[in-house]
Amino acid sequence: MIATYISAAGLLFGAWAGLIALVRPAQIARSLRLQADPAKPGGYAEFRSTFGGVFLMIHAVALLLVMRFEALIGALVVLPIAGAWLGAAIARTLSMVLDKEENGEGGINRYWVMLEVTVALLIAAPIIAGVT
């Protein structure tokens, strides 16, 4: 049961990040070092929908399911979400290696990788607990 609560903490973080993107897209844009193009209207809708709505609902629905159902179903629910966070960390690490000129010395990317791996492990707690 403790693994479920650990996973819930990671899912809550993902839902919280989505909620922030939904209600404060400019803050998320700055955090991600992205910017809506003023010459092409609609950029804020992308932050609100993709970083906001998708993140919020994927994590919130998974949280409801993992808290409601038995361990096996909960593990199956969180597997793709934990995999997505881990995939983000792997892709960011790859970018740090391949895109050194564009990324500079890596800077904030190192911290994002640590955060993404941590969230992946938190969300994957029911899977890790079942394996050990």
Side-chain angles (χ1 to χ4, degrees):
M1 189 65 170
I2 186 90
T4 299
Y5 293 122
I6 293 170
S7 183
L11 291 167
L12 281 169
F13 174 81
W16 172 78
L19 180 62
I20 297 298
L22 187 64
V23 299
R24 301 198 60 188
Q27 181 178 347
I28 294 300
R30 281 191 305 277
S31 296
L32 299 176
R33 294 189 155 91
L34 297 174
Q35 180 175 320
D37 185 349
K40 298 177 184 169
Y44 269 61
E46 194 60 39
F47 285 110
R48 288 188 199 274
S49 65
T50 304
F51 293 108
V54 171
F55 255 65
L56 173 62
M57 293 309 294
I58 283 176
H59 291 85
V61 169
L63 177 62
L64 292 173
L65 292 173
V66 81
M67 296 303 289
R68 172 71 176 94
F69 292 105
E70 62 192 51
L72 178 59
I73 293 172
L76 291 174
V77 166
V78 299
L79 182 61
I81 300 170
W85 280 95
L86 186 58
I90 291 168
R92 190 179 303 276
T93 301
L94 185 62
S95 178
M96 288 168 57
V97 172
L98 298 177
D99 306 325
K100 283 187 178 184
E101 186 174 316
E102 293 84 352
N103 288 333
E105 292 298 313
I108 190 103
N109 282 317
R110 287 177 280 211
Y111 299 106
W112 284 117
V113 168
M114 289 186 287
L115 175 71
E116 290 159 348
V117 169
T118 300
V119 174
L121 291 173
L122 288 171
I123 293 173
I127 299 160
I128 294 168
V131 172
T132 57

